[in-house]
Amino acid sequence: MTFTYRFIESPVGQLRLIAKGPRLTAVLWPNDRPNRVLLGPMDEDTGSGILDQAERQLGEYFAGRRQAFELELEFHGTDFQRRVWQALLSIPFGETRSYLDIAVQIGNPTAVRAVGAANGRNPISIIAPCHRVIGSTGALTGFAGGLDTKLLLLSLEGYQPALRPKSMVKAALAQG
């Protein structure tokens, strides 16, 4: 089955939505590196229900009317990458996690750098919220859409660095 794509306008520039059949497989940035997300042959969309849904839900998100996405997703990557990307889906709207938090969550606390690399290759940006992953110090770190875009997305969600909740690691240590 061939991938289909559609371009949409957004407050963060023109995004490219990509689907494979009834599932969303990518949301790519205007200046995305060509090799960051590798999928396969693509045709321009001629009417895809999942791309219609994704476009509508992203519009609602940017308008401040949606906090969670309800879309069928299909991640293309290694098993490790897919575990990281699935973990991204569990980060609540308006909250952040560190790369270490994600490494602990997927059961591999020494894989912080590998989590960072997988996060950087997240194909379904915004919807699988890689923008909610920050450095353990609270610093905004690398982001395929650019740090200005990351800050814009976090601000849209009401994120305030001074109010960052305890990391999962700190919470786990406190419990003993």
Side-chain angles (χ1 to χ4, degrees), residues 17-158:
L17 308 181
I18 302 172
K20 184 175 182 186
R23 292 184 174 84
L24 186 69
T25 57
V27 175
L28 303 180
W29 302 103
N31 297 315
D32 230 320
R33 292 186 332 268
N35 63 345
R36 188 180 74 80
V37 175
L38 302 174
L39 295 171
M42 291 188 204
D43 292 328
E44 191 165 354
D45 176 47
T46 57
S48 164
I50 189 65
L51 294 181
D52 291 343
Q53 291 173 39
E55 182 174 2
R56 179 181 49 76
Q57 290 185 30
L58 282 164
E60 293 167 353
Y61 169 81
F62 287 118
R65 295 189 316 266
R66 176 172 290 277
Q67 294 186 1
F69 293 93
E70 298 167 4
L71 298 164
E72 292 293 323
L73 307 177
E74 184 175 315
F75 290 107
H76 289 262
T78 67
D79 288 341
F80 179 83
Q81 288 172 328
R82 286 195 304 270
R83 286 194 349 254
V84 169
W85 301 333
Q86 282 297 134
L88 297 176
L89 295 171
S90 72
I91 305 172
F93 181 90
E95 293 187 22
T96 59
R97 298 292 183 267
S98 72
Y99 297 98
L100 177 58
D101 293 333
I102 300 297
V104 168
Q105 182 178 344
I106 65 168
N108 199 342
T110 61
V112 175
R113 288 180 191 259
V115 165
N119 198 60
R121 289 196 172 272
N122 171 26
I124 309 178
S125 300
I126 304 170
I127 294 164
C130 51
H131 61 278
R132 296 179 189 155
V133 181
I134 62 176
S136 59
T137 64
L140 298 186
T141 56
F143 185 62
L147 291 181
D148 288 344
T149 299
K150 185 173 191 162
L151 182 58
L152 185 145
L153 294 172
L154 290 171
S155 297
L156 181 82
E157 297 182 10

